[in-house]
């Protein structure tokens, strides 16, 4: 589906509210609030295909392409995590959704923090997957600059190839060609301008550590046991700092835990949504 915003269009999937799904779940989804899924970098809404399909019997599931990714248009100009957060609020406004469970993976988590700071009344619960609160170190900022140069010179496929070894576990990279190729294709097809804009937003994002103590909604933190980009230690720090937060570790998964182990990930989220509902 597509939504016209001021000077660009946002694409999104919207599942779980259809009459067929409602019939299956006896005319009422167990969770009244929709689940909004925010993808990471450099990805798009199809990161969440197993969730938009697999969780549609629990909640209405909305998965947008952030500006500059997937089928959404590439607006000109710089973006920040606040820009993405405000785009998502505009989507919820347009869909008439007052409150949602806001779920973000990695960069999606950085955006979820920005969304909470700016639009807390729209957040019923949070799911923070394979993400962290800390900003980029000087070395990480340098990495963003290098990737910007690489994307401009050689295209997004080169950035994808560089990032792929950190996205999935060595076992998956060696033995699950379907998952590996799907992740590679997903990253490679993102538009250079969208990727470059996001690299600036990633580099300049603020420290979300002070936000953690302000979170008062039910919060689930999920992390792949083998995630080296946003490791389980970071997840544990967030759990300790967010009141009442629950942490779940997904075995045999790296950074894209929902993509690599969708059944385990969905089961964890399903239990959380039932507890929220
Ligand atoms: C992501 O998956 O969104 C990125 O790896 C986040 C990052 O590079 O900090």
């Amino acid at each position: 589906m597509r939504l016209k915003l001021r000077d660009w269009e946002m694409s999104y999937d919207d599942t779980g509210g259809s009459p067929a799904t409602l019939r299956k779940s006896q005319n009422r989804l167990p969770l009244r609030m929709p689940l909004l899924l925010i993808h990471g970098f450099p990805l798009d809404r199809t990161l969440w295909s197993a969730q938009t399909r697999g969780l549609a019997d629990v909640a209405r599931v909305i998965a947008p392409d952030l500006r500059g990714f997937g089928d959404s248009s590439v607006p000109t100009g710089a973006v920040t995590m606040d820009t993405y957060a405000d785009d998502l609020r505009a989507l919820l406004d347009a869909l008439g959704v007052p409150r949602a469970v806001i779920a973000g993976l990695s960069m999606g988590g950085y955006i979820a923090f920005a969304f909470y700071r700016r639009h807390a009344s729209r957040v019923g619960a949070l799911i923070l997957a394979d993400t962290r609160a800390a900003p980029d170190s000087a070395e990480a900022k340098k990495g963003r600059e290098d990737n910007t140069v690489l994307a401009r010179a050689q295209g997004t496929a080169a950035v994808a190839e560089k990032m792929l070894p950190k996205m999935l576990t060595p076992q998956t990279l060696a033995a699950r060609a379907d998952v590996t190729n799907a992740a590679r294709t997903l990253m490679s097809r993102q538009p250079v301008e969208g990727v470059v804009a996001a690299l600036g937003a990633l580099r300049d994002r603020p420290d979300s550590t002070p936000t953690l103590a302000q979170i008062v909604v039910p919060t689930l933190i999920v992390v792949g046991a083998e995630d080296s980009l946003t490791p389980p230690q970071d997840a544990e720090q967030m759990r300790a700092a967010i009141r009442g937060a629950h942490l779940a570790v997904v075995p045999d998964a790296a950074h894209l835990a929902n993509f690599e182990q969708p059944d385990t990930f969905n089961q964890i989220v399903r239990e959380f949504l039932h507890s929220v509902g």
Side-chain angles (χ1 to χ4, degrees):
M1 285 182 232
R2 264 175 106 69
L3 172 72
K4 176 104 185 76
L5 293 166
R6 221 168 303 156
D7 56 346
W8 64 288
E9 287 187 14
M10 180 185 259
S11 291
Y12 62 98
D13 289 329
D14 191 352
T15 56
S18 72
T21 324
L22 291 176
R23 262 197 306 282
K24 255 194 245 156
S25 57
Q26 286 140 358
N27 296 322
R28 194 172 82 76
L29 290 173
L31 186 71
R32 298 232 177 113
M33 273 180 292
L35 172 64
L36 177 71
L37 299 172
I38 315 171
H39 64 76
F41 170 90
L43 303 159
D44 63 32
R45 70 188 195 276
T46 62
L47 169 75
W48 299 112
S49 296
Q51 284 69 48
T52 46
R53 277 197 311 270
L55 296 170
D57 61 329
V58 193
R60 178 179 177 188
V61 186
I62 302 166
D65 283 334
L66 296 169
R67 60 165 74 201
F69 291 93
D71 298 324
S72 287
S73 39
V74 185
T76 47
V79 297
T80 65
M81 295 302 156
D82 288 352
T83 318
Y84 294 127
D86 290 354
D87 290 344
L88 296 174
R89 203 214 55 187
L91 175 65
L92 294 188
D93 286 349
L95 298 179
V97 172
R99 260 151 73 96
V101 177
I102 306 294
L105 181 133
S106 197
M107 182 175 82
Y110 312 154
I111 297 167
F113 287 130
F115 191 97
Y116 193 84
R117 284 191 290 271
R118 296 168 77 78
H119 313 297
S121 68
R122 312 295 291 271
V123 184
L126 276 174
I127 301 175
L128 302 168
D130 298 281
T131 193
R132 61 152 66 93
D136 271 7
S137 62
E139 191 193 344
K141 283 182 198 283
K142 165 82 174 51
R144 307 295 184 195
E145 305 294 343
D146 293 347
N147 279 342
T148 300
V149 172
L150 186 62
R152 288 219 164 102
Q154 294 178 38
T156 316
V159 178
E161 226 37 66
K162 191 173 156 194
M163 291 184 71
L164 191 60
K166 298 226 162 134
M167 293 296 198
L168 303 168
T169 59
Q171 304 88 279
T172 293
L173 291 165
R176 294 173 68 193
D178 52 340
V179 177
T180 304
N181 288 334
R184 176 184 285 117
T185 304
L186 176 45
M187 291 193 283
S188 302
R189 69 169 176 239
Q190 303 310 323
V192 170
E193 284 316 315
V195 165
V196 166
L199 282 164
L202 286 162
R203 179 197 57 208
D204 299 336
R205 75 182 189 279
D207 185 3
S208 290
T209 311
T211 307
L212 302 178
Q214 291 161 14
I215 295 174
V216 293
V217 294
T219 300
L220 170 68
I221 297 159
V222 193
V223 66
E226 299 177 46
D227 185 348
S228 60
L229 276 175
T230 49
Q233 302 90 281
D234 290 359
E236 172 51 30
Q237 275 166 13
M238 291 193 291
R239 188 209 57 78
I242 302 176
R243 211 165 316 142
H246 178 69
L247 169 62
V249 180
V250 181
D252 303 316
H255 193 53
L256 303 185
N258 70 308
F259 195 81
E260 197 167 10
Q261 299 298 344
D263 293 344
T264 310
F265 187 93
N266 284 1
Q267 188 52 32
I268 290 166
V269 171
R270 180 178 288 275
E271 279 166 26
F272 175 70
L273 294 180
H274 277 298
S275 75
V276 169

